[in-house]
Amino acid sequence: MEGMLYLCATPIGNLGDVSARCLEILENADMVAAEDTRRTVQLLNHFGISKPLTSYHEHNKIEKGAYLLSLLQEGKQVVLVSDAGTPAISDPGEDLVRLCIDAGITVTSIPGPVAAINALILSGLPTRRFSFEGFLSVNKRHRHEHLNSLKTDSHTLIFYEAPHKLRTTLEDMEKIFGGARRIALARELTKIHEEILRMTISEAVKYYEEQNPRGEYVLVIEGANGQEAATIEEQWWSALTVSEHVEHYIEKGMSSKEAVKEAAKDRDMPKREVYQIYHTEEA
Ligand code: SAM
């Protein structure tokens, strides 16, 4: 028998969402690789399944990837599950899939819950064209760059967010996208306290000044309308490197200090950082 990697989607809250095929594949597996083995044990125990488990996560994916590949090459059936939902979506898995494809191992998936898609279809926002953006960085500059890169995107945007970062994220979105866009905040999906709040970004900022964010969130945001898309012209500098951007202002007659200040303002970056990049690239 040839080895095969199964990507098995598991519930994102409600255990009733597990599929019959997912349970059958788990029952027949030689090895289950899980992001968090403790959570997966609970799932397996709930369904009376006992299987060898191994962890596969961001910090061990290189060694574990090689180990799982060796099992697959021996003809074993390996199942990859994530903490919740679909493996390889804002979860480790992508690297293992690539490793197996490159080694000629067959990869198949047992589809099931994905928080992003659940939130999208419940949002009331356009579902025809959307962009999944995953988690925003904890680094302020990266977060701002990410949001700025989406400012004129007309797709419905989907983000994952943890409760302790929700307020900062909403404030950043208000600053960059403007407060008038519609947002759906989906939490506790498929659970007893499932809640979808539909409002504008500014209303969401105000709401969470009073309320404590609880649970994991999916944020679904209306894409840029025609008017905002037209502001793309304002970002005339988006194709320039930081240094080219500074040089542009110098060529217009500014001192290098003024040019750094202007470029930093355009890019919403600290002056010090623009100065450093400009002088490093110049050297
Ligand atoms: N692989 C998962 C999937 O298919 O959706 C996502 C894993 S990612 C590490 C975890 C994030 O998914 C959470 O921070 C939250 O944004 C979102 N999420 C997962 N379960 C959720 C739920 N029941 N309700 C709302 N959001 C959820």
Side-chain angles (χ1 to χ4, degrees), residues 21-235:
R21 208 166 142 234
C22 172
L23 294 178
E24 185 193 322
I25 298 291
L26 283 168
E27 262 158 13
N28 292 323
D30 295 308
M31 175 63 77
V32 178
E35 187 187 7
D36 178 346
T37 49
R38 285 167 309 176
R39 279 196 71 171
T40 304
V41 162
Q42 284 172 6
L43 178 83
L44 295 181
N45 284 348
H46 182 87
F47 291 103
I49 300 172
S50 166
K51 282 288 152 186
L53 264 179
T54 190
S55 66
Y56 177 81
H57 49 67
E58 206 43 48
H59 307 291
N60 71 3
K61 64 184 183 189
I62 297 183
E63 325 76 90
K64 272 303 167 66
Y67 166 67
L68 293 170
L69 181 62
S70 70
L71 293 182
L72 288 158
Q73 284 168 331
E74 284 166 22
K76 300 278 195 295
Q77 309 300 300
V78 175
V79 176
L80 178 69
V81 292
S82 88
D83 228 13
T86 297
I89 298 296
S90 286
D91 266 328
E94 184 185 325
D95 298 81
L96 185 62
V97 170
R98 205 163 19 244
L99 192 71
C100 289
I101 293 170
D102 290 347
I105 300 287
T106 308
V107 183
T108 189
S109 77
I110 315 302
V114 187
I117 299 297
N118 243 279
L120 173 69
I121 61 173
L122 291 171
S123 68
L125 293 168
T127 57
R128 201 168 63 83
R129 298 183 70 201
F130 60 89
S131 174
F132 174 62
E133 299 296 325
F135 287 99
L136 285 165
S137 171
V138 285
N139 174 295
K140 188 175 172 190
R141 178 160 72 84
H142 293 162
R143 204 167 59 237
H144 285 193
E145 276 173 8
H146 188 165
L147 291 174
N148 267 315
S149 75
L150 298 169
K151 200 173 163 184
T152 56
D153 193 322
S154 58
H155 297 91
T156 298
L157 304 171
I158 309 172
F159 297 88
Y160 282 164
E161 196 50 283
H164 64 281
K165 284 167 41 207
L166 183 73
R167 286 188 175 122
T168 316
T169 294
L170 290 174
E171 283 161 15
D172 286 347
M173 286 175 169
E174 185 179 41
K175 194 168 147 205
I176 294 170
F177 296 154
R181 281 207 209 177
R182 287 179 294 163
I183 181 171
L185 302 101
R187 55 182 282 272
E188 302 286 275
L189 287 167
T190 76
K191 302 182 194 176
I192 297 171
H193 300 294
E194 175 176 287
E195 179 184 60
I196 325 286
L197 295 173
R198 301 174 186 90
M199 45 181 73
T200 65
I201 295 181
S202 286
E203 285 165 349
V205 169
K206 286 207 186 68
Y207 182 85
Y208 283 103
E209 277 167 12
E210 320 260 299
Q211 305 289 326
N212 270 334
R214 285 215 201 101
E216 301 295 290
Y217 286 81
V218 184
L219 308 180
V220 188
I221 324 268
E222 180 176 33
N225 60 31
Q227 221 176 7
E228 281 171 77
T231 61
I232 200 157
E233 281 163 29
E234 284 167 25
Q235 294 196 358

